[in-house]
Amino acid sequence: MWMIRFLALGLLFAVDAAVDKKAVEKAAKEAPVEKKISKQASTLADRSAGLAFNLYHNMAKDKKVENILLSPVVVASSLGLVNLAGKASTAAQAKAVLSVDKLSDDHINAGLSELLNEVSNSTARNVTWKIGNRLYGPSSISFSDDFVKSSKKHYNYEHSKINFRDKRSALKSINEWAAQTTDGKLPEVTSDVEKTDGALIVNAMFFKPHWDERFHHKMVDNRGFMVTRSFTVSVPMMHRTGLYNYYEDQTNSLQILEMPLAHKFSSLIVIMPYHVEPLERVEKLLTREQLKTWIGKMEKKAVAVSLPKVSMEVSHDLQKHLGELGLTEAIDKTKADLSKISGKKDLYLANLYHAAALEWDTEGNPFDADIYGREELRSPKLFYADHPYVFLIKDNKTDSILFIGRLVRPKGDKMRDEL
């Protein structure tokens, strides 16, 4: 049955072959010319990638957290903002969490600014990535002109005063701004604000990549995604067969798949256990060094891929998690020195909301239908993502990690509950 389905996919591709071949050639001609990034940006890309694994592991330990969706380059920029706002040890801790202790502030600001502008260039990368960053302060605060100017220049931050005494109005304001920033894809950042006497950092994002070779829109059907062995939800699943970087770690019972995104500047890497299981075992293996090992062992193979057509909306308050990584002063009302914000030592970081919507669908560049006549595609490996997995979106140009996360519970109706 499976092979009939994937052979049918090949036939569907073949029907459009002549049109798509021309489109592939056109897309190749229109692909942007690659420019190198500066040494400063390269250094910050490296440090933000290190932050990705540290923060992910810290969050994964929290039993209350299911789906995780983090953009390390955006979190790094938030730490850059804390460094810009802070003095003495408050600023030093922000640099330490990002592992940039020995770098000058100018190096950090310029590097992070260039990195974020580079990886979020929607035109060059053929992705949709809307990013909004805003610093909220109590209505009594007076923002320093120098701070407003610098944070806007380097990190594209907006600034707002908000009356936290009117909690309902404050929440409405934050959530409406996030929804507007993401074209309605992220309707809610938070349903409550407990600490109302400090500063709030809010990151609101919508990310929708395009595949380097699209899925066929007709090869989508409803399937079961096993959240656990006894709990399954119905999700739309997309299918395609193609040539992908693939590695099977038999020792650890894992499949690792890399699928390039449009213009091949970045790619999706999925790390999936053979069977349904909690992800703790996989996450213990997940280090930067191990990822490099897996990537180094990948080979181009024919793979029949089935992926959930997902829409994830995830909001994390990173204040506690960054505190556990060493950002203890900025979040402590009695110790924080964020006096560059207003000229007074009157603020601390009460919350850091990192909210993102991620959407995968069939869209992408036209496929090269010629490959479906090749012998090597007749016996593909099966990569059937119907249970929890870890994923990364890795940037191939800067070697940074645009997103790191896990899909544990996709949106969908419950199908069955077996004992």
Side-chain angles (χ1 to χ4, degrees):
M1 185 65 185
W2 276 106
M3 294 315 300
I4 291 173
R5 181 173 293 279
F6 284 111
L7 287 172
L9 174 59
L11 290 173
L12 281 170
F13 285 162
V15 170
D16 298 326
V19 175
D20 283 328
K21 191 170 183 180
K22 291 180 181 178
V24 168
E25 293 170 355
K26 182 181 178 183
K29 290 178 182 178
E30 293 177 352
V33 178
E34 187 174 343
K35 296 180 181 178
K36 290 185 178 180
I37 62 170
S38 71
K39 185 177 179 181
Q40 291 173 324
S42 181
T43 300
L44 270 299
D46 176 76
R47 306 303 160 82
S48 68
L51 173 68
F53 292 93
N54 292 337
L55 186 54
Y56 179 91
H57 282 137
N58 184 275
M59 296 185 68
K61 292 186 295 185
D62 190 337
K63 300 298 182 184
K64 296 179 182 178
V65 175
E66 291 186 326
N67 297 337
I68 293 177
L69 184 59
L70 293 169
S71 175
V73 292
V74 174
V75 178
S77 295
S78 296
L79 287 170
L81 182 80
V82 174
N83 177 55
L84 192 68
K87 288 184 177 179
S89 52
T90 299
Q93 284 186 349
K95 294 170 76 170
V97 173
L98 191 52
S99 300
V100 292
D101 317 56
K102 297 179 181 178
L103 301 182
S104 68
D105 288 351
D106 288 344
H107 187 149
I108 294 167
N109 294 333
L112 285 172
S113 177
E114 181 185 345
L115 174 63
L116 194 56
N117 287 334
E118 168 61 41
V119 299
S120 62
N121 185 331
S122 297
T123 304
R125 290 162 179 275
N126 195 14
V127 300
T128 299
W129 196 0
K130 298 180 182 297
I131 305 174
N133 297 309
R134 181 169 279 199
L135 175 70
Y136 289 91
S139 51
S140 59
I141 197 78
S142 295
F143 291 111
S144 157
D145 289 342
D146 285 344
F147 175 76
V148 169
K149 217 174 279 184
S150 297
S151 54
K152 180 71 175 175
K153 174 184 176 183
H154 298 299
Y155 302 113
N156 201 27
Y157 260 77
E158 301 172 23
H159 307 80
S160 288
K161 297 180 184 181
I162 197 163
N163 181 11
F164 289 116
R165 291 180 181 178
D166 185 353
K167 187 179 287 190
R168 181 179 294 182
S169 177
L171 285 170
K172 183 181 178 184
S173 177
I174 292 169
N175 290 327
E176 285 184 350
W177 168 77
Q180 184 178 8
T181 298
T182 60
D183 291 342
K185 298 293 184 178
L186 192 66
E188 184 177 272
V189 168
T190 181
S191 59
D192 191 20
V193 178
E194 293 182 7
K195 300 170 185 175
T196 58
D197 56 349
L200 266 66
I201 288 177
V202 183
N203 310 135
M205 292 163 279
F206 170 55
F207 186 77
K208 181 181 178 180
H210 290 61
W211 304 105
D212 186 57
E213 287 193 347
R214 70 187 181 216
F215 287 77
H216 200 289
H217 66 280
K218 292 182 179 179
M219 293 301 292
V220 179
D221 55 11
N222 287 327
R223 299 291 178 93
F225 186 98
M226 293 178 283
V227 177
T228 66
R229 290 184 180 275
S230 60
F231 187 85
T232 302
V233 296
S234 175
V235 298
M237 192 80 79
M238 6 182 233
H239 315 276
R240 86 178 307 271
T241 303
L243 295 173
Y244 297 109
N245 286 332
Y246 175 86
Y247 174 64
E248 191 167 344
D249 185 341
Q250 295 180 351
T251 302
N252 292 302
S253 302
L254 298 172
Q255 288 179 287
I256 299 97
L257 175 72
E258 181 178 19
M259 299 182 69
L261 303 179
H263 297 332
K264 298 184 179 179
F265 279 179
S266 56
S267 57
L268 169 70
I269 298 173
V270 181
I271 304 161
M272 184 175 69
Y274 285 173
H275 307 293
V276 184
E277 63 174 273
L279 290 174
E280 285 91 340
R281 181 183 67 85
V282 180
E283 290 167 337
K284 285 179 181 177
L285 297 169
L286 185 64
T287 63
R288 200 172 178 189
E289 294 71 27
Q290 182 61 66
L291 181 64
K292 288 180 180 178
T293 299
W294 282 328
I295 291 174
K297 292 182 177 180
M298 283 183 165
E299 294 180 1
K300 190 77 76 176
K301 292 181 182 288
V303 186
V305 180
S306 294
L307 280 180
K309 186 180 175 184
V310 297
S311 175
M312 295 173 66
E313 294 92 36
V314 183
S315 183
H316 304 292
D317 185 355
L318 300 183
Q319 192 235 41
K320 178 185 78 169
H321 301 292
L322 290 171
E324 290 172 351
L325 292 180
L327 192 73
T328 58
E329 282 200 12
I331 65 175
D332 188 326
K333 186 177 180 179
T334 64
K335 296 180 180 178
D337 186 350
L338 299 174
S339 53
K340 288 184 181 178
I341 294 178
S342 65
K344 299 177 182 179
K345 195 176 175 182
D346 55 356
L347 281 180
Y348 74 107
L349 183 59
N351 300 93
L352 199 166
Y353 291 111
H354 186 81
L358 171 66
E359 197 171 286
W360 294 111
D361 62 17
T362 58
E363 294 177 20
N365 288 341
F367 42 77
D368 180 2
D370 288 349
I371 69 169
Y372 293 99
R374 297 184 190 177
E375 182 69 28
E376 61 195 297
L377 258 70
R378 299 199 175 194
S379 299
K381 298 283 186 179
L382 295 181
F383 191 92
Y384 192 64
D386 69 340
H387 55 279
Y389 55 80
V390 174
F391 66 90
L392 303 96
I393 299 176
K394 183 178 177 297
D395 188 65
N396 299 321
K397 181 178 178 182
T398 64
D399 207 29
S400 59
I401 295 172
L402 307 186
F403 284 90
I404 183 170
R406 67 184 183 195
L407 181 64
V408 172
R409 186 190 291 265
K411 290 185 289 186
D413 295 329
K414 179 181 176 182
M415 290 181 66
R416 61 180 182 269
D417 192 358
E418 299 173 352
L419 295 175

